[in-house]
Amino acid sequence: MTDIAAIAKQIEPEVKSLGYDLVRVAMIGGTSDPTLQVMAERPDTRQLDLTDCEVISRRLSDWIDENDPIEGSFRLEVSSPGIDRPLTRLKDYADWAGHEARISLAEQRDGRKQYSGTIDGVEDDTVKLTDKSGNVHALPFSAISSAKLLLTDKLINATAPLSTEGADTIHTVEEEQ
């Protein structure tokens, strides 16, 4: 079994050395299509473009070739976290305060495992969330198993690309034979 947390700790310095922040490392695709998924972002824009993905992918491919951290064959996928991004770090909840999220806990708390609402921020190691009824929930970060932002107009506006140059042009690349 692959220890993804250990691989993430080893990958993070490689990603950081290129000027990016590591958002998440996951193994997806099961046994039929094992894929090491690496999500990263620019710390200043929280975005990643295709060139950024290429740079990270090349560095990690070299690192993987040298260190061979995963048994068997697999694909490497480097991507941006996207608009409705996963929230994986405590700082994500502070950065995205004011936006809506869905949070799942590892174990039930107050009779439930799912919470949705507006992120109010972070206090110590606790995520604050206000649901649609106005109830405030204090959720320990350590109890969160997964979380992601919910797609809203406010989020779309907050994550608009810094530049749309070239967005209306389609470039085709012919593969070499």
Side-chain angles (χ1 to χ4, degrees):
M1 182 111 196
T2 303
D3 184 352
I4 294 301
I7 292 172
K9 284 183 182 179
Q10 294 171 9
I11 285 175
E12 188 165 24
E14 298 295 321
V15 173
K16 283 240 181 244
S17 73
L18 297 170
Y20 304 99
D21 284 343
L22 186 64
V23 175
R24 180 175 80 181
V25 176
M27 200 68 178
I28 62 173
T31 57
S32 64
D33 186 24
T35 302
L36 181 65
Q37 181 188 64
V38 176
M39 288 184 183
E41 66 185 2
R42 289 183 166 277
D44 56 342
T45 64
R46 295 190 221 135
Q47 297 178 3
L48 209 62
D49 63 24
L50 185 57
T51 303
D52 297 323
C53 291
E54 290 172 5
V55 167
I56 295 168
S57 181
R58 284 191 181 102
R59 171 68 64 91
L60 292 183
S61 289
D62 291 344
W63 182 86
I64 288 166
D65 287 345
E66 289 174 23
N67 295 280
D68 198 21
I70 300 172
E71 191 174 312
S73 62
F74 63 95
R75 289 185 310 126
L76 172 64
E77 175 185 292
V78 176
S79 69
S80 160
I83 294 175
D84 54 346
R85 62 184 294 129
L87 303 170
T88 60
R89 305 161 295 183
L90 192 58
K91 77 180 212 90
D92 292 339
Y93 296 91
D95 289 348
W96 295 100
H99 292 279
E100 292 182 38
R102 178 173 299 118
I103 299 175
S104 297
L105 303 181
E107 296 182 14
Q108 281 194 1
R109 181 179 179 83
D110 301 326
R112 57 195 277 201
K113 289 176 80 170
Q114 300 280 332
Y115 292 82
S116 293
T118 302
I119 302 169
D120 296 325
V122 174
E123 190 175 296
D124 297 322
D125 288 337
T126 302
V127 174
K128 302 259 184 166
L129 183 84
T130 301
D131 66 22
K132 293 196 185 296
S133 300
N135 298 316
V136 177
H137 303 279
L139 306 170
F141 179 69
S142 61
I144 297 173
S145 64
S146 66
K148 67 179 270 182
L149 291 175
L150 297 177
L151 193 58
T152 62
D153 288 341
K154 182 179 180 180
L155 181 61
I156 291 169
N157 291 333
T159 57
L162 297 176
S163 168
T164 57
E165 182 181 332
D168 57 352
T169 305
I170 297 174
H171 297 274
T172 58
V173 178
E174 295 191 28
E175 292 186 34
E176 295 179 23
Q177 298 289 339

